[in-house]
Coordinates of all heavy atoms in Angstrom, one line a residue:
M416 N -3.0 18.2 2.2 CA -3.9 18.2 3.2 C -3.1 18.2 4.6 O -2.3 17.3 4.7 CB -4.8 16.9 3.1 CG -5.8 16.8 4.3 SD -7.1 15.6 4.1 CE -8.2 16.5 3.2
D417 N -3.5 19.0 5.5 CA -2.9 19.1 6.8 C -3.6 18.2 7.9 O -4.6 18.7 8.3 CB -2.8 20.6 7.3 CG -2.1 20.8 8.7 OD1 -1.5 19.8 9.1 OD2 -2.3 21.9 9.2
L418 N -3.1 17.1 7.9 CA -3.8 16.1 8.9 C -3.4 16.4 10.4 O -3.9 15.6 11.2 CB -3.5 14.7 8.6 CG -4.1 14.3 7.2 CD1 -3.6 12.8 6.9 CD2 -5.6 14.4 7.1
T419 N -2.7 17.3 10.7 CA -2.4 17.6 12.1 C -3.5 18.4 12.7 O -3.4 18.5 14.0 CB -1.2 18.4 12.1 OG1 -1.4 19.7 11.5 CG2 0.1 17.7 11.5
Q420 N -4.4 19.0 12.0 CA -5.6 19.6 12.5 C -6.7 18.6 12.8 O -7.1 17.8 11.9 CB -6.1 20.7 11.6 CG -5.0 21.8 11.3 CD -4.6 22.5 12.5 OE1 -5.4 22.8 13.4 NE2 -3.2 22.6 12.7
A421 N -7.3 18.6 14.0 CA -8.3 17.7 14.4 C -9.7 18.3 13.9 O -10.3 19.0 14.6 CB -8.3 17.6 15.9
T422 N -10.0 17.8 12.7 CA -11.3 18.3 12.0 C -12.1 17.0 11.5 O -11.5 16.0 11.4 CB -11.1 19.1 10.8 OG1 -10.4 18.5 9.8 CG2 -10.2 20.5 11.2
A423 N -13.4 17.4 11.5 CA -14.2 16.2 11.0 C -13.9 15.8 9.6 O -13.8 14.6 9.3 CB -15.7 16.7 11.0
A424 N -13.5 16.8 8.8 CA -13.1 16.5 7.4 C -11.9 15.7 7.4 O -11.7 14.7 6.5 CB -12.7 17.7 6.5
N425 N -10.9 15.9 8.2 CA -9.6 15.1 8.2 C -9.8 13.8 8.7 O -9.3 12.7 8.3 CB -8.7 15.8 9.2 CG -7.9 16.9 8.5 OD1 -8.1 17.2 7.2 ND2 -7.2 17.8 9.2
M426 N -10.9 13.6 9.7 CA -11.3 12.2 10.2 C -11.8 11.4 9.2 O -11.6 10.3 8.9 CB -12.1 12.3 11.4 CG -11.4 12.9 12.5 SD -12.5 12.7 14.2 CE -12.2 10.9 14.5
E427 N -12.7 12.2 8.2 CA -13.4 11.4 7.1 C -12.4 10.9 6.2 O -12.3 9.8 5.7 CB -14.3 12.4 6.4 CG -15.0 11.9 5.2 CD -16.1 10.9 5.5 OE1 -16.7 11.0 6.5 OE2 -16.2 10.0 4.7
Y428 N -11.4 11.8 5.9 CA -10.2 11.4 5.0 C -9.5 10.2 5.5 O -9.2 9.3 4.7 CB -9.3 12.6 4.8 CG -8.1 12.2 3.9 CD1 -8.2 12.3 2.5 CD2 -6.9 11.9 4.5 CE1 -7.1 12.0 1.8 CE2 -5.8 11.6 3.7 CZ -6.0 11.6 2.3 OH -5.0 11.3 1.5
M429 N -9.2 10.2 6.8 CA -8.3 9.2 7.3 C -9.1 7.9 7.5 O -8.6 6.7 7.1 CB -7.8 9.5 8.7 CG -6.7 10.6 8.7 SD -5.9 11.0 10.2 CE -7.2 11.5 11.3
V430 N -10.5 7.8 7.9 CA -11.2 6.7 7.9 C -11.3 6.1 6.4 O -11.2 4.9 6.3 CB -12.6 7.0 8.4 CG1 -13.5 5.8 8.3 CG2 -12.5 7.3 9.9
E431 N -11.5 6.8 5.4 CA -11.6 6.4 4.1 C -10.3 5.7 3.6 O -10.4 4.7 3.0 CB -12.0 7.5 3.1 CG -13.5 8.0 3.2 CD -14.5 6.9 3.1 OE1 -14.5 6.1 2.2 OE2 -15.4 6.8 4.0
A432 N -9.1 6.5 4.0 CA -7.9 5.8 3.6 C -7.7 4.5 4.2 O -7.2 3.5 3.8 CB -6.8 6.8 3.9
I433 N -8.1 4.4 5.5 CA -7.9 3.2 6.3 C -8.8 2.1 5.7 O -8.4 0.9 5.5 CB -8.2 3.4 7.9 CG1 -7.1 4.4 8.5 CG2 -8.3 2.1 8.5 CD1 -7.4 4.8 9.9
K434 N -10.0 2.4 5.5 CA -10.9 1.4 4.8 C -10.3 1.0 3.5 O -10.4 -0.3 3.2 CB -12.2 2.0 4.5 CG -13.2 2.2 5.9 CD -14.5 2.6 5.6 CE -14.8 3.5 4.7 NZ -16.3 3.9 4.7
T435 N -9.7 1.7 2.6 CA -9.2 1.5 1.4 C -8.0 0.5 1.6 O -7.8 -0.5 0.9 CB -8.8 2.6 0.6 OG1 -10.0 3.4 0.3 CG2 -8.1 2.3 -0.8
K436 N -7.0 0.9 2.5 CA -6.0 0.2 2.7 C -6.2 -1.2 3.3 O -5.6 -2.2 2.9 CB -4.9 0.9 3.8 CG -3.7 0.3 4.0 CD -2.7 0.5 3.0 CE -1.4 -0.1 3.2 NZ -0.3 0.3 2.3
L437 N -7.3 -1.3 4.0 CA -7.6 -2.6 4.8 C -8.4 -3.5 3.9 O -8.7 -4.7 4.1 CB -8.2 -2.4 6.1 CG -7.5 -1.8 7.2 CD1 -8.3 -1.7 8.4 CD2 -6.3 -2.5 7.5
R438 N -9.0 -2.8 2.8 CA -9.8 -3.5 1.7 C -11.1 -4.1 2.6 O -11.4 -5.2 2.5 CB -9.2 -4.6 1.0 CG -8.0 -4.0 0.1 CD -7.4 -5.1 -0.8 NE -6.2 -4.6 -1.4 CZ -5.1 -5.2 -1.2 NH1 -4.9 -6.2 -0.4 NH2 -4.0 -4.6 -1.7
M439 N -11.6 -3.2 3.3 CA -12.6 -3.8 4.3 C -13.9 -4.0 3.6 O -14.5 -3.1 2.9 CB -13.0 -2.8 5.4 CG -11.8 -2.7 6.3 SD -12.2 -1.6 7.8 CE -13.3 -2.5 8.7
A440 N -14.5 -5.2 3.6 CA -15.6 -5.6 2.9 C -16.8 -4.9 3.5 O -17.8 -4.6 2.9 CB -15.9 -7.2 2.9
S441 N -16.7 -4.8 4.9 CA -17.8 -4.0 5.6 C -17.5 -2.5 5.8 O -17.9 -2.0 6.8 CB -18.1 -4.8 6.9 OG -16.9 -4.7 7.7
G442 N -16.8 -1.9 4.9 CA -16.4 -0.5 5.0 C -17.5 0.4 5.1 O -17.4 1.4 5.8
A443 N -18.6 0.0 4.6 CA -19.7 1.0 4.5 C -20.3 1.1 6.0 O -20.8 2.1 6.4 CB -21.0 0.4 3.7
A444 N -20.0 0.0 6.8 CA -20.4 0.1 8.4 C -19.6 1.1 9.1 O -20.0 1.4 10.1 CB -20.4 -1.3 8.9
M445 N -18.4 1.4 8.6 CA -17.5 2.2 9.3 C -17.6 3.6 8.8 O -17.0 3.9 7.7 CB -16.1 1.7 9.2 CG -15.1 2.5 10.2 SD -13.4 1.6 10.2 CE -12.8 2.0 8.7
Q446 N -18.2 4.6 9.5 CA -18.3 6.0 9.1 C -17.5 6.8 9.9 O -17.4 6.5 11.1 CB -19.7 6.4 9.1 CG -20.6 5.6 8.1 CD -20.4 5.7 6.7 OE1 -20.0 6.7 6.3 NE2 -20.5 4.6 6.0
A447 N -16.9 7.9 9.4 CA -16.1 8.8 10.1 C -16.9 9.5 11.3 O -16.3 9.7 12.3 CB -15.6 10.0 9.3
S448 N -18.2 9.6 11.1 CA -19.1 10.2 12.1 C -19.1 9.2 13.3 O -19.7 9.7 14.4 CB -20.5 10.4 11.5 OG -21.0 9.2 11.0
G449 N -18.7 7.9 13.2 CA -18.7 7.1 14.3 C -17.6 7.3 15.2 O -17.5 6.6 16.3
F450 N -16.7 8.1 15.0 CA -15.5 8.3 15.7 C -15.6 9.7 16.3 O -15.8 10.7 15.7 CB -14.2 8.2 15.0 CG -14.0 6.7 14.4 CD1 -14.5 6.6 13.1 CD2 -13.3 5.8 15.0 CE1 -14.4 5.3 12.5 CE2 -13.2 4.6 14.6 CZ -13.7 4.3 13.3
P451 N -15.5 9.8 17.8 CA -15.5 11.1 18.4 C -14.2 11.9 18.2 O -13.1 11.3 18.0 CB -15.6 10.8 19.9 CG -15.0 9.3 20.0 CD -15.3 8.8 18.7
L452 N -14.4 13.3 18.0 CA -13.2 14.1 17.7 C -12.1 13.9 18.8 O -10.9 14.2 18.4 CB -13.6 15.6 17.5 CG -12.9 16.4 16.6 CD1 -12.5 15.8 15.3 CD2 -13.5 17.8 16.5
E453 N -12.5 13.5 19.9 CA -11.6 13.5 21.0 C -10.5 12.3 20.7 O -9.4 12.3 21.5 CB -12.3 13.1 22.3 CG -13.2 14.2 22.8 CD -14.6 14.0 22.1 OE1 -15.2 12.9 22.3 OE2 -15.1 15.0 21.5
K454 N -10.9 11.4 19.9 CA -10.1 10.2 19.5 C -9.2 10.6 18.2 O -8.6 9.7 17.7 CB -10.9 9.0 19.3 CG -11.6 8.5 20.5 CD -10.8 8.0 21.5 CE -11.6 7.6 22.7 NZ -10.7 6.8 23.8
Y455 N -9.2 11.8 17.9 CA -8.4 12.2 16.6 C -7.0 11.8 16.6 O -6.5 11.1 15.7 CB -8.5 13.7 16.5 CG -7.9 14.1 15.1 CD1 -8.7 14.0 13.9 CD2 -6.7 14.5 15.0 CE1 -8.2 14.5 12.6 CE2 -6.1 14.8 13.7 CZ -6.9 14.7 12.6 OH -6.3 15.1 11.4
E456 N -6.3 11.9 17.7 CA -4.8 11.7 17.8 C -4.7 10.1 17.6 O -3.7 9.7 16.9 CB -4.2 12.3 19.0 CG -4.0 13.7 19.1 CD -3.1 14.2 18.2 OE1 -2.0 13.6 17.8 OE2 -3.4 15.4 17.5
D457 N -5.4 9.4 18.3 CA -5.3 8.0 18.2 C -5.6 7.5 16.8 O -4.9 6.6 16.3 CB -6.3 7.3 19.1 CG -6.1 7.5 20.6 OD1 -4.8 7.6 20.9 OD2 -7.0 7.6 21.4
L458 N -6.6 8.0 16.1 CA -6.9 7.7 14.8 C -5.8 8.0 13.9 O -5.5 7.4 12.9 CB -8.3 8.3 14.3 CG -8.9 7.9 12.9 CD1 -9.1 6.4 12.8 CD2 -10.0 8.8 12.5
Y459 N -5.3 9.2 14.0 CA -4.2 9.8 13.2 C -2.9 8.8 13.3 O -2.3 8.4 12.4 CB -3.8 11.2 13.8 CG -2.6 11.9 13.0 CD1 -2.8 12.2 11.7 CD2 -1.3 11.9 13.6 CE1 -1.8 12.8 10.9 CE2 -0.3 12.4 12.8 CZ -0.5 12.8 11.6 OH 0.6 13.3 10.8
D460 N -2.6 8.4 14.6 CA -1.5 7.5 14.9 C -1.8 6.2 14.1 O -0.8 5.6 13.3 CB -1.3 7.2 16.3 CG -0.7 8.3 17.1 OD1 -0.3 9.3 16.4 OD2 -1.0 8.3 18.3
L461 N -3.0 5.7 14.0 CA -3.3 4.4 13.3 C -3.3 4.7 11.9 O -2.7 3.9 11.1 CB -4.8 4.0 13.7 CG -5.2 2.7 13.5 CD1 -4.3 1.6 14.1 CD2 -6.6 2.4 14.0
Y462 N -3.8 5.8 11.3 CA -3.6 6.1 10.0 C -2.2 6.3 9.6 O -1.7 5.7 8.5 CB -4.2 7.4 9.7 CG -3.9 8.1 8.5 CD1 -4.6 7.8 7.3 CD2 -3.0 9.1 8.3 CE1 -4.3 8.3 6.0 CE2 -2.6 9.7 7.0 CZ -3.4 9.3 5.9 OH -3.2 9.8 4.7
E463 N -1.2 6.8 10.3 CA 0.1 6.9 9.9 C 0.7 5.5 9.9 O 1.6 5.3 8.9 CB 0.9 7.9 11.0 CG 0.6 9.2 10.9 CD 1.3 9.9 9.8 OE1 2.5 9.9 9.9 OE2 0.7 10.4 8.8
M464 N 0.5 4.7 10.8 CA 1.1 3.4 10.8 C 0.6 2.6 9.5 O 1.4 1.9 8.9 CB 0.6 2.6 12.1 CG 1.4 1.3 12.3 SD 0.5 -0.2 11.5 CE -1.1 -0.3 12.3
I465 N -0.7 2.7 9.3 CA -1.2 1.8 8.2 C -0.7 2.4 6.8 O -0.2 1.6 6.0 CB -2.8 1.8 8.2 CG1 -3.3 1.1 9.3 CG2 -3.3 1.4 6.9 CD1 -4.7 1.3 9.7
T466 N -0.7 3.8 6.6 CA -0.3 4.2 5.4 C 1.3 4.2 5.2 O 1.7 4.3 4.1 CB -0.8 5.7 5.1 OG1 -0.2 6.4 6.1 CG2 -2.3 5.7 5.1
G467 N 1.9 4.0 6.2 CA 3.4 3.8 6.1 C 3.9 2.4 5.8 O 5.1 2.1 5.6
K468 N 2.9 1.4 5.6 CA 3.4 0.2 5.4 C 2.8 -0.2 3.9 O 1.7 0.2 3.4 CB 2.5 -0.8 6.3 CG 3.2 -0.8 7.7 CD 2.6 -1.8 8.5 CE 3.2 -2.0 9.8 NZ 4.2 -3.2 9.8
E469 N 3.8 -0.9 3.1 CA 3.3 -1.5 1.8 C 2.2 -2.5 2.0 O 1.2 -2.4 1.1 CB 4.5 -1.9 1.1 CG 4.1 -2.4 -0.2 CD 5.0 -1.6 -1.3 OE1 5.8 -0.8 -1.0 OE2 4.9 -2.1 -2.4
H470 N 2.3 -3.4 2.8 CA 1.5 -4.5 3.0 C 1.2 -4.7 4.5 O 2.0 -4.5 5.3 CB 2.1 -5.8 2.4 CG 2.5 -5.7 0.9 ND1 1.4 -5.6 0.0 CD2 3.6 -5.5 0.2 CE1 2.0 -5.6 -1.3 NE2 3.3 -5.5 -1.0
L471 N 0.0 -5.3 4.8 CA -0.4 -5.6 6.1 C -0.6 -7.1 6.2 O -1.3 -7.6 5.2 CB -1.6 -4.8 6.6 CG -1.6 -3.3 6.6 CD1 -3.0 -2.7 6.8 CD2 -0.6 -2.8 7.8
S472 N -0.1 -7.7 7.3 CA -0.5 -9.0 7.5 C -2.0 -9.3 8.0 O -2.4 -8.2 8.4 CB 0.5 -9.7 8.4 OG 0.2 -9.1 9.6
I473 N -2.3 -10.4 7.8 CA -3.7 -10.7 8.4 C -3.8 -10.4 9.9 O -4.9 -9.8 10.3 CB -4.2 -12.2 8.3 CG1 -4.2 -12.5 6.7 CG2 -5.4 -12.5 9.0 CD1 -4.3 -14.0 6.3
S474 N -2.9 -10.7 10.7 CA -2.8 -10.4 12.2 C -2.8 -8.8 12.2 O -3.4 -8.3 13.2 CB -1.7 -10.9 12.9 OG -0.4 -10.7 12.4
E475 N -2.1 -8.1 11.5 CA -2.1 -6.6 11.5 C -3.4 -6.1 11.2 O -4.0 -5.1 11.8 CB -1.1 -6.0 10.6 CG 0.4 -6.2 11.1 CD 1.4 -5.7 10.1 OE1 1.3 -6.0 8.9 OE2 2.4 -5.1 10.6
V476 N -4.1 -6.6 10.2 CA -5.4 -6.2 9.8 C -6.4 -6.3 10.9 O -7.2 -5.5 11.3 CB -6.0 -6.8 8.4 CG1 -7.4 -6.6 8.2 CG2 -5.0 -6.3 7.3
E477 N -6.4 -7.6 11.5 CA -7.2 -7.9 12.6 C -6.9 -6.9 13.9 O -8.0 -6.4 14.5 CB -7.0 -9.4 13.1 CG -7.5 -10.3 12.1 CD -7.2 -11.7 12.4 OE1 -6.3 -12.0 13.3 OE2 -7.7 -12.6 11.8
A478 N -5.7 -6.6 14.2 CA -5.3 -5.7 15.2 C -6.0 -4.3 14.8 O -6.4 -3.7 15.9 CB -3.8 -5.7 15.4
V479 N -5.8 -3.8 13.6 CA -6.3 -2.5 13.3 C -7.7 -2.5 13.4 O -8.4 -1.6 14.0 CB -5.9 -2.1 12.0 CG1 -6.6 -0.9 11.3 CG2 -4.4 -2.0 11.8
A480 N -8.4 -3.5 13.0 CA -9.9 -3.7 13.1 C -10.3 -3.6 14.5 O -11.3 -2.9 14.9 CB -10.5 -4.9 12.3
S481 N -9.6 -4.2 15.4 CA -9.9 -4.2 16.8 C -9.7 -2.9 17.5 O -10.6 -2.4 18.2 CB -9.1 -5.2 17.5 OG -9.2 -5.2 18.8
E482 N -8.7 -2.2 17.1 CA -8.4 -0.9 17.5 C -9.3 0.1 17.0 O -9.9 1.1 17.8 CB -7.0 -0.4 17.1 CG -6.5 0.8 17.8 CD -6.5 0.8 19.2 OE1 -6.1 -0.4 19.8 OE2 -6.6 1.7 19.9
L483 N -10.0 0.0 15.9 CA -10.9 0.8 15.3 C -12.2 0.6 16.1 O -12.9 1.7 16.4 CB -11.1 0.6 13.8 CG -10.1 1.1 12.8 CD1 -10.3 0.5 11.5 CD2 -10.0 2.7 12.8
G484 N -12.4 -0.5 16.5 CA -13.7 -0.9 17.2 C -13.5 -0.1 18.6 O -14.6 0.4 19.2
K485 N -12.4 0.0 19.2 CA -12.2 0.6 20.5 C -12.4 2.1 20.5 O -12.8 2.7 21.3 CB -10.9 0.3 21.0 CG -10.7 -1.1 21.5 CD -9.2 -1.4 21.9 CE -8.9 -2.9 22.1 NZ -7.5 -3.2 22.3
L486 N -11.9 2.7 19.2 CA -12.1 4.1 19.0 C -13.4 4.7 18.8 O -13.6 5.8 18.9 CB -11.0 4.5 17.9 CG -9.6 4.3 18.1 CD1 -8.8 4.7 16.9 CD2 -9.2 5.1 19.4
R487 N -14.3 3.8 18.2 CA -15.7 4.3 17.8 C -16.4 4.7 19.0 O -16.1 4.4 20.2 CB -16.3 3.2 17.1 CG -15.7 2.7 15.9 CD -16.6 1.8 15.1 NE -18.0 2.2 15.1 CZ -18.7 1.8 14.2 NH1 -18.4 1.0 13.3 NH2 -19.8 2.3 14.0
K488 N -17.4 5.6 18.8 CA -18.3 6.0 19.8 C -19.1 4.9 20.4 O -19.4 4.0 19.7 CB -19.3 7.1 19.3 CG -18.7 8.3 18.9 CD -19.7 9.2 18.3 CE -19.1 10.5 17.7 NZ -20.0 11.3 17.0
S489 N -19.2 4.9 21.8 CA -20.1 3.7 22.4 C -21.5 4.2 22.6 O -21.8 5.3 22.4 CB -19.4 3.3 23.6 OG -19.0 4.5 24.5

């Protein structure tokens, strides 16, 4: 999958991967459609950081959740 292309399908894939990695209990509340395509690069950077780590600390999970909140459509 070529994640360098800013598409809705790629955003869906990255959001699902992030939710899985974070083991988000409220993952159903976070839908890819909640993120504007203009924020693709930011979401991609977050995805790369998360998937590049074997484990995330609690503070990292909290920081990622906060960042995801900032990226969502208002």
Side-chain angles (χ1 to χ4, degrees):
M416 176 171 275
D417 181 11
L418 294 177
T419 61
Q420 301 299 313
T422 66
N425 284 349
M426 287 191 82
E427 177 75 29
Y428 176 83
M429 290 190 294
V430 168
E431 290 303 316
I433 290 169
K434 288 189 323 190
T435 299
K436 185 75 174 189
L437 297 182
R438 297 184 194 121
M439 294 183 71
S441 61
M445 188 173 72
Q446 301 294 323
S448 61
F450 296 90
L452 205 52
E453 301 84 53
K454 299 289 186 176
Y455 186 87
E456 289 297 321
D457 295 324
L458 186 64
Y459 180 74
D460 291 342
L461 199 56
Y462 166 82
E463 287 283 297
M464 187 273 296
I465 290 170
T466 57
K468 292 183 167 257
E469 179 127 356
H470 301 286
L471 295 171
S472 69
I473 292 172
S474 61
E475 287 173 317
V476 170
E477 290 172 350
V479 168
S481 174
E482 189 62 29
L483 287 170
K485 292 176 188 173
L486 295 178
R487 291 183 61 155
K488 293 178 185 174
S489 50

